[in-house]
């Protein structure tokens, strides 16, 4: 091939090898992720790839590496089959299956309405993109959809799974573990499963919220908990109650929410009806705190003058709130990136033991408390 012919087509391994001053075989090893290549040579090859604009042939690479270079990002729903979802219909990864709760697509609609999931996707994509890998978004809200996720992984369409469960009884982590497939979970599982996970020290985050409200002088404090069948919801409530008890407040009025703005509004209405003299509220996520603030304003309460409000997550809802929400920061993007790193490490070293990484929360003080 002449230089003119080469420049007219796509860059090849030979072009990269020539630019890096190494053999074609060495370039192939670096591109295919072989680990026993000198770091200096690896960097030279990466620079040559950048200069030449070489793009690996994914089909050919898959034949060599037996990898799909794709990761399944799975949002998994309740373990109990919804009545409306039973039967023969199902679409699995497409998300078209009736997820219960009143109609087709309701599960996926709930997922996309929560800023938490967008932050998870951002963290995963930002980590995978520089490594030439891609996430495949899947939904598993019924047994049929969970079976399709496991089959998808078994057939090698994705190299492993990043699983975000929305229900404590979700059977998907155990199904994946029993099948011997690579996976990492966002949040510790409610039941023991030999799968790595990342999580937040939720009780410590709730402690920060309680101490901040008490430090402001609040004494008639209530909380809007998350769903108590979700480990994070239970942990945030227990951490808040424990801290309040340690400061001489043995009884904390509580209304359970579902991590949605609407449930926060309903919970705040109940709390105000039963305890109209409240001067502080801790909501277990920002969406519920946003709903609580709407209700407080409708009842003529100033925030934070009459009632101070603290949320949890430091999501976009915290900035949308008026006044901007004081909240406990959960570094979701960083946690999602770490979850992805753990999965890639698992794929590279499948015999390593499972592990966990726990992130620390941080109080972000704004105008609501």
């Amino acid at each position: 091939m002449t230089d003119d012919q080469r420049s007219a087509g796509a860059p090849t391994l030979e072009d990269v090898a020539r630019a890096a001053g190494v053999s074609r075989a060495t370039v192939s090893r670096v591109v295919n992720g072989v680990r026993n290549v000198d770091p200096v040579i690896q960097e030279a090859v990466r620079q040559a790839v950048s200069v030449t604009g070489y793009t690996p042939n994914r089909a050919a690479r898959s034949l060599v590496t037996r990898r799909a270079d794709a990761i399944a990002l799975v949002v998994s729903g309740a373990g109990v089959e919804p009545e409306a979802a039973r039967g023969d219909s199902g679409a699995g990864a497409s998300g078209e299956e009736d997820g219960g709760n009143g109609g087709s697509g309701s599960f996926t609609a709930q997922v996309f309405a929560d800023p938490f999931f967008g932050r998870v996707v951002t963290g995963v994509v930002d980590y995978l993109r520089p490594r030439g890998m891609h996430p495949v978004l899947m939904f598993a809200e019924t047994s049929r959809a969970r079976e399709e996720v496991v089959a998808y992984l078994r057939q090698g369409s994705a190299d492993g799974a990043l699983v975000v469960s929305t229900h404590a009884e979700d059977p998907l982590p155990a199904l994946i573990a029993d099948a011997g497939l690579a996976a990492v979970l966002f949040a510790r599982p409610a039941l023991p499963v030999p799968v790595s996970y990342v999580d937040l020290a939720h009780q410590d985050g709730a402690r920060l919220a309680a101490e901040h409200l008490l430090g402001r002088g609040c004494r008639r404090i209530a909380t809007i908990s998350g769903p108590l069948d979700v480990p994070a919801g239970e942990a945030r409530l227990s951490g808040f109650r424990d801290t309040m008890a340690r400061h001489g407040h043995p009884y904390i009025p509580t209304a359970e929410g579902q991590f949605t703005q609407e449930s926060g509004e309903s919970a705040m209405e109940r709390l105000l009806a039963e305890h109209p003299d409240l001067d502080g509220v801790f909501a277990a996520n920002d969406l519920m705190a946003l709903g609580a603030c709407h209700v407080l304003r409708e009842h003529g309460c100033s925030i934070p003058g009459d009632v101070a409000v603290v949320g949890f997550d430091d999501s976009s809802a915290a900035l949308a709130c008026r006044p901007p929400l004081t909240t406990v920061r959960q570094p979701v993007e960083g946690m999602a990136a770490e979850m992805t790193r753990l999965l890639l490490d698992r794929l590279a070293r499948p015999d390593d033991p499972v592990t966990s990484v726990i992130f620390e929360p941080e109080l972000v003080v704004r105008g609501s408390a």
Side-chain angles (χ1 to χ4, degrees):
M1 177 184 293
T2 67
D3 289 342
D4 288 341
Q5 288 173 319
R6 187 178 294 109
S7 63
T12 66
L13 282 177
E14 287 80 2
D15 297 326
V16 178
R18 187 177 300 103
V22 298
S23 69
R24 182 187 187 282
T26 297
V27 172
S28 178
R29 292 168 68 197
V30 173
V31 168
N32 289 319
V34 176
R35 290 180 171 267
N36 60 343
V37 179
D38 184 275
V40 174
I41 295 176
Q42 289 187 41
E43 182 58 28
V45 172
R46 291 191 186 101
Q47 290 182 7
V49 167
S50 178
V51 168
T52 60
Y54 172 75
T55 301
N57 182 311
R58 292 197 174 275
R61 179 175 174 177
S62 294
L63 289 174
V64 174
T65 63
R66 297 186 180 181
R67 294 278 177 84
D69 281 346
I71 297 297
L73 175 55
V74 186
V75 182
S76 188
V80 179
E81 193 79 4
E83 193 69 33
R86 293 190 180 118
D88 295 330
S89 65
S94 71
E96 295 172 0
E97 183 172 346
D98 186 350
N101 302 322
S104 177
S106 60
F107 177 76
T108 55
Q110 291 173 17
V111 168
F112 286 121
D114 191 332
F116 166 82
F117 295 104
R119 296 175 66 192
V120 171
V121 172
T122 296
V124 171
V125 170
D126 287 352
Y127 191 89
L128 287 177
R129 181 181 291 153
R131 291 159 178 82
M133 303 184 74
H134 306 280
V136 178
L137 183 60
M138 307 182 76
F139 296 94
E141 69 273 38
T142 64
S143 59
R144 172 74 175 270
R146 287 188 286 273
E147 291 170 2
E148 291 182 351
V149 168
V150 173
Y152 188 82
L153 295 169
R154 280 185 182 277
Q155 69 189 20
S157 298
D159 298 318
L162 303 167
V163 180
V164 182
S165 289
T166 62
H167 196 282
E169 297 180 6
D170 180 13
L172 183 62
L175 291 173
I176 290 175
D178 290 345
L181 300 166
V184 178
L185 311 181
F186 194 109
R188 75 185 71 204
L191 300 175
V193 179
V195 179
S196 297
Y197 65 82
V198 301
D199 205 352
L200 186 78
H202 296 282
Q203 290 185 327
D204 290 345
R207 173 181 56 79
L208 293 174
E211 290 176 346
H212 183 72
L213 288 170
L214 291 169
R216 284 185 53 89
C218 298
R219 292 296 179 266
R220 299 178 300 280
I221 302 173
T223 183
I224 301 172
S225 78
L228 298 182
D229 59 353
V230 174
E234 192 282 328
R236 294 176 191 181
L237 178 59
S238 64
F240 190 77
R241 282 176 168 169
D242 180 71
T243 302
M244 294 297 293
R246 289 171 184 266
H247 287 81
H249 297 267
Y251 170 67
I252 303 300
T254 303
E256 184 177 354
Q258 297 298 317
F259 285 148
T260 65
Q261 180 175 335
E262 293 76 14
S263 70
E265 292 173 353
S266 299
M268 192 70 253
E269 290 282 6
R270 295 196 301 274
L271 288 171
L272 279 178
E274 297 171 7
H275 307 277
D277 61 343
L278 290 175
D279 62 2
V281 175
F282 166 55
N285 83 336
D286 291 342
L287 282 175
M288 294 192 300
L290 180 62
C293 288
H294 285 172
V295 169
L296 287 169
R297 286 195 300 271
E298 288 177 354
H299 282 260
C301 299
S302 67
I303 304 169
D306 295 325
V307 183
V309 179
V310 176
F312 203 113
D313 283 339
D314 195 23
S315 67
S316 57
L319 296 177
C321 190
R322 291 295 176 267
L325 195 63
T326 292
T327 184
V328 177
R329 184 169 191 270
Q330 179 174 204
V332 175
E333 294 86 352
M335 294 169 70
E338 180 65 12
M339 174 174 66
T340 311
R341 184 192 68 80
L342 290 177
L343 180 59
L344 297 188
D345 283 354
R346 186 75 176 166
L347 293 172
R349 297 183 296 276
D351 294 329
D352 283 2
V354 297
T355 188
S356 58
V357 177
I358 307 298
F359 284 72
E360 297 298 325
E362 176 186 355
L363 184 70
V364 179
V365 178
R366 298 192 179 99
S368 69

